[in-house]
Amino acid sequence: MSLLSDVFIWGAVAFVVLAIAMLYRAVKGPTMQDRVLAVNVLGTNTVVILALLAVGLDESWFLDIALVYALLNFLMSIAISKFTVERGGII
């Protein structure tokens, strides 16, 4: 069981590295749509990281946090998209 836990934890570490790479696109995105998509991907990566940690560390409360964060990420995406459309940011 320890080897499987290590695999899940290393998977979470790999997603953290990918999230750091996506953070560059969120900051330097040439358009607002690139930034919105990058922030959405960062939120999804966070949910996956929390789920992998829940399995790897055998802590079920990480899944509760992941579910709440997924809902907040969805609401944030809708709010940013609505703000972008109302502001006229859609090209």
Side-chain angles (χ1 to χ4, degrees):
M1 186 68 178
S2 176
L3 177 65
L4 193 58
S5 295
D6 289 343
V7 169
F8 283 118
I9 291 174
W10 280 109
V13 169
F15 272 99
V16 168
V17 171
L18 293 173
I20 291 170
M22 188 54 63
L23 187 62
Y24 172 78
R25 179 55 54 201
V27 173
K28 294 293 239 182
T31 65
M32 185 65 168
Q33 289 80 16
D34 289 332
R35 290 185 179 115
V36 169
L37 188 62
V39 169
N40 195 6
V41 169
L42 282 171
T44 304
N45 271 353
T46 304
V47 171
V48 170
I49 290 166
L50 287 170
L52 288 173
L53 287 176
V55 174
L57 299 175
D58 198 25
E59 296 286 340
S60 63
W61 59 273
F62 275 119
L63 286 178
D64 297 334
I65 295 172
L67 284 172
V68 171
Y69 196 82
L71 291 171
L72 289 175
N73 187 39
F74 173 71
L75 291 175
M76 183 261 327
S77 296
I78 298 247
I80 289 176
S81 297
K82 183 173 171 56
F83 174 74
T84 304
V85 169
E86 286 179 358
R87 194 172 141 214
I90 301 294
I91 295 175

